[in-house]
Amino acid sequence: QVQLVESGGGSVQPGGSLTLSCAVSGLTDSRYCMGWFRQAPGKEREGVASIDSDGSTTYGDSVAGRFTISQDKAKNTLYLQMNSLKPEDTGMYACAADLVPFVVASRVPLFKYRSQGTQVTVSS
């Protein structure tokens, strides 16, 4: 059974940085796609970034150039480095995975396996 547990959320001032981590277990297939999505109060889920088993990545338009998704296969961990954070980045962030070929970030909210979510608040 695939399980994902994220950590690293918190509060930060605009312009600051945060790194989210996601510990992945049970993902034994050699072909997969993982990613991050977020949801702000009153808004729909938004795919933030995706990465496949070969390391190919995509990003949502609102975070491209500021966020970086990466994976450490030896540690079975997924990361999201968030720089130049803006108040509109505030929301619940979750990691997700599915046994599918490479897909774009916008489809990450549809992945089969998801974590509980961690709050990110960007405010002065």
Side-chain angles (χ1 to χ4, degrees), residues 14-89:
S17 298
L18 276 177
T19 299
L20 304 182
S21 300
C22 176
V24 183
S25 60
L27 193 62
T28 57
D29 201 291
S30 60
R31 294 291 296 170
Y32 58 82
C33 195
M34 298 189 291
W36 295 90
F37 67 93
R38 66 187 182 186
Q39 187 168 23
K43 294 188 176 181
E44 294 186 354
R45 290 176 176 174
E46 176 190 8
V48 173
S50 68
I51 186 168
D52 73 358
S53 51
D54 291 332
S56 297
T57 60
T58 68
Y59 296 92
D61 290 342
S62 61
V63 305
R66 299 188 296 122
F67 291 12
T68 302
I69 187 172
S70 62
Q71 61 181 330
D72 185 330
K73 293 186 177 182
K75 295 182 178 180
N76 293 321
T77 303
L78 179 70
Y79 301 98
L80 184 68
Q81 174 67 43
M82 304 183 292
N83 298 327
S84 303
L85 283 161
K86 304 175 182 180
E88 50 263 44
D89 293 318

